């Protein structure tokens, strides 16, 4: 199958914006600037402010949805399906999981490298698989269990890579790197809870993905914006790098942005890229396939790693390359990307067909959810 120019554009847009999302967030973390009231220059360490910007990007998907809907309704024969009416509060619980996980991940990004940050997010496969068995009654195929075990091996290798590189890293202390890696994995537990909640209570309503992402962004943006107020007064000691050592000092963040405008550019890059990334991911699923979307999502880890090396943000680690390859294999096995390859082998084709039929029988709707016509609920993809 030959891709059209539009499909190539969508694939490139998803890969580019997905990579920019993590790289721009890390770029913001690397700036130093003066704070309020002539506070001496210090590192920009404001993960919760960055998370608010990310949710603003998701919220913009809601505006895009209504713009597309209004444009479609002006046509003689509208083709866009807005989906049935639903109670927006259905998204509140998933949005709170999204908010918590995203905030934890931005805290962790201050402590570890961008490439390790992206690779360790692959742990979501493990917890999503286990929770889907426990709470959704799903039966995983043998290849999915193998994918989970392979992913665990990949995480261990990446963790060892960070441990060995921590001794020679002049940007992060070893204790910070280990803490950051553990926080990323903790965040994936929360993300998996979000996915299970969405599948159990939200998917059945057939909500348009742009509308779903935007609704979660709405709740996340306003709740976290309000939480910035009490965070300004909560002391956390040395856990926080801001001058007042509080959970979040939003005023200090704005003062630093005023003294160093490039921080604003990095934050805007994060906000805009998450909006375009969600749109491109949804469009790739609709115009090409969900499998292509999974492959592109894995490739952005490679792009982030390569750019980080080129910019001198981190040093080459052979173990990290091995960990990335093992994680890639684990993701492919869990998502069934090996099936098209095995189907071409005559002796394996019948076995693959039988496995797919058993998976459809035990997991009704799962195949449609992953390989649907584009109205697939988009999980947090920051």
């Amino acid at each position: 199958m030959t891709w059209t120019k539009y499909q190539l554009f969508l694939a490139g847009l998803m890969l580019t914006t997905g990579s920019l999302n993590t790289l721009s967030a890390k770029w913001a973390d690397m700036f130093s600037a003066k704070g309020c009231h002539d506070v001496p220059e210090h590192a920009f360490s404001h993960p919760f402010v960055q998370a608010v910007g990310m949710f603003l990007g998701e919220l913009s998907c809601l505006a895009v949805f209504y713009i597309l809907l209004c444009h479609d309704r002006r046509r003689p024969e509208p083709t866009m399906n807005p989906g049935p009416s639903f109670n927006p509060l259905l998204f509140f619980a998933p949005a709170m999981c999204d908010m918590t996980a995203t905030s934890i991940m931005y805290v962790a990004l201050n402590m570890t490298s961008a490439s390790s940050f992206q690779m360790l997010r692959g742990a979501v496969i493990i917890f999503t698989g286990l929770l889907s068995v426990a709470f959704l009654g799903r039966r995983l195929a043998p290849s999915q269990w193998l994918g989970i075990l392979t992913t665990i091996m990949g995480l261990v290798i990446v963790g060892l890579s960070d441990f060995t590189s921590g001794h020679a890293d002049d940007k992060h202390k070893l204790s910070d790197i280990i803490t950051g890696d553990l926080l990323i994995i903790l965040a994936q537990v929360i993300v998996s809870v979000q996915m299970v909640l969405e599948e159990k209570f939200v998917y059945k309503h057939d909500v348009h993905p742009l509308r779903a992402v935007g609704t979660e962004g709405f709740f996340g943006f306003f709740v976290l914006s309000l939480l910035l107020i009490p965070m300004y007064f909560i002391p956390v000691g040395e856990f926080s790098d801001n001058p007042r050592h509080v959970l979040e000092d939003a005023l200090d963040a704005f003062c630093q942005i005023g003294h160093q405008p490039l921080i604003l550019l990095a934050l805007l890059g994060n906000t805009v890229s998450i909006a375009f990334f969600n749109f491109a991911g949804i469009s790739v699923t609709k115009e090409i396939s969900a499998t292509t979307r999974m492959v592109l999502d894995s490739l952005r880890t490679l792009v982030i790693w390569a750019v980080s090396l080129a910019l001198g943000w981190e040093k080459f680690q052979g173990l990290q390359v091995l960990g990335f390859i093992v994680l890639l294999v684990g993701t492919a096995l869990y998502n069934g990307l090996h099936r098209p390859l095995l189907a071409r082998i005559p002796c394996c084709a019948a076995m693959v067909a039988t496995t797919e039929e058993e998976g459809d029988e035990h997991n009704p709707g799962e195949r449609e959810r992953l390989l649907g016509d584009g109205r697939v609920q988009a999980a947090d993809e920051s």
Side-chain angles (χ1 to χ4, degrees):
M1 172 183 165
T2 304
W3 285 8
T4 64
K5 290 182 179 180
Y6 179 60
Q7 289 173 332
L8 287 171
F9 167 75
L10 289 175
L13 182 65
M14 180 182 170
L15 186 60
T16 303
T17 54
S19 303
L20 282 176
N21 183 248
T22 298
L23 291 170
S24 59
K26 187 61 182 179
W27 187 36
D29 292 340
M30 300 180 74
F31 280 107
S32 293
K34 292 181 179 179
C36 301
H37 310 298
D38 294 324
V39 172
E41 186 174 295
H42 55 282
F44 183 83
S45 179
H46 299 283
F48 297 98
V49 171
Q50 287 179 288
V52 168
M54 191 279 292
F55 282 114
L56 180 60
E58 286 193 357
L59 176 58
S60 66
C61 290
L62 200 59
V64 172
F65 167 75
Y66 285 111
I67 291 172
L68 293 176
L69 186 62
C70 289
H71 177 72
D72 184 70
R73 286 179 174 175
R74 291 178 181 176
R75 296 178 177 178
E77 297 182 4
T79 58
M80 184 175 174
N81 179 12
S85 59
F86 64 97
N87 184 352
L89 290 177
L90 282 172
F91 287 93
F92 185 78
M96 293 304 96
C97 291
D98 191 0
M99 182 189 74
T100 305
T102 300
S103 300
I104 291 174
M105 283 191 282
Y106 278 126
V107 171
L109 188 56
N110 270 298
M111 300 178 172
T112 190
S113 65
S115 59
S116 292
F117 169 84
Q118 193 65 37
M119 290 181 193
L120 291 172
R121 291 178 68 180
V124 70
I125 287 175
I126 301 168
F127 305 111
T128 303
L130 295 177
L131 288 177
S132 66
V133 170
F135 296 102
L136 299 178
R138 180 162 299 132
R139 289 182 60 182
L140 300 182
S143 62
Q144 290 179 305
W145 285 112
L146 182 58
I148 288 175
L149 292 174
T150 306
T151 300
I152 293 173
M153 290 174 55
L155 294 173
V156 171
I157 295 172
V158 172
L160 285 174
S161 171
D162 283 347
F163 182 80
T164 56
S165 66
H167 296 286
D169 194 333
D170 56 355
K171 297 183 179 68
H172 305 97
K173 294 187 295 184
L174 179 59
S175 59
D176 287 345
I177 292 174
I178 295 173
T179 303
D181 288 354
L182 292 175
L183 285 175
I184 295 169
I185 293 175
L186 172 63
Q188 303 321 300
V189 178
I190 301 172
V191 171
S192 64
V193 172
Q194 174 195 347
M195 291 182 174
V196 170
L197 286 173
E198 287 173 344
E199 185 163 346
K200 191 171 182 65
F201 300 110
V202 177
Y203 287 155
K204 60 185 178 182
H205 293 279
D206 194 27
V207 181
H208 191 283
L210 280 175
R211 194 177 185 184
V213 172
T215 303
E216 286 192 9
F218 171 84
F219 286 122
F221 176 77
F222 284 103
V223 171
L224 191 54
S225 295
L226 290 174
L227 287 177
L228 289 179
I229 299 172
M231 287 179 182
Y232 184 80
F233 301 100
I234 300 175
V236 292
E238 294 301 319
F239 181 77
S240 174
D241 290 333
N242 60 64
R244 296 178 56 246
H245 296 293
V246 292
L247 189 57
E248 181 61 282
D249 190 341
L251 292 181
D252 180 66
F254 291 127
C255 289
Q256 286 189 288
I257 291 170
H259 286 110
Q260 176 53 276
L262 284 177
I263 298 176
L264 179 61
L265 179 62
L267 296 179
L268 286 176
N270 184 262
T271 300
V272 174
S273 63
I274 191 62
F276 278 97
F277 179 62
N278 277 306
F279 171 77
I282 291 163
S283 300
V284 165
T285 301
K286 182 178 180 179
E287 298 290 335
I288 310 175
S289 71
T291 302
T292 303
R293 182 177 181 175
M294 293 171 192
V295 172
L296 291 172
D297 197 47
S298 298
L299 285 178
R300 70 179 175 130
T301 303
L302 183 61
V303 173
I304 291 167
W305 177 67
V307 172
S308 297
L309 286 176
L311 295 175
W313 290 0
E314 53 187 273
K315 298 177 181 178
F316 179 83
Q317 292 288 330
L319 269 179
Q320 197 175 49
V321 179
L322 177 62
F324 170 69
I325 293 173
V326 174
L327 285 172
L328 201 60
V329 172
T331 302
L333 287 171
Y334 186 85
N335 290 307
L337 301 187
H338 63 290
R339 290 176 181 172
L341 296 176
L342 291 178
R344 295 182 180 181
I345 304 174
C347 62
C348 300
M351 181 181 65
V352 171
T354 303
T355 303
E356 288 184 346
E357 288 175 3
E358 289 178 354
D360 292 343
E361 179 183 348
H362 295 306
N363 306 322
E366 174 67 2
R367 188 172 179 82
E368 288 76 5
R369 181 181 73 80
L370 288 175
L371 304 173
D373 63 353
R375 293 192 298 276
V376 180
Q377 167 59 39
D380 171 38
E381 302 189 290
S382 60

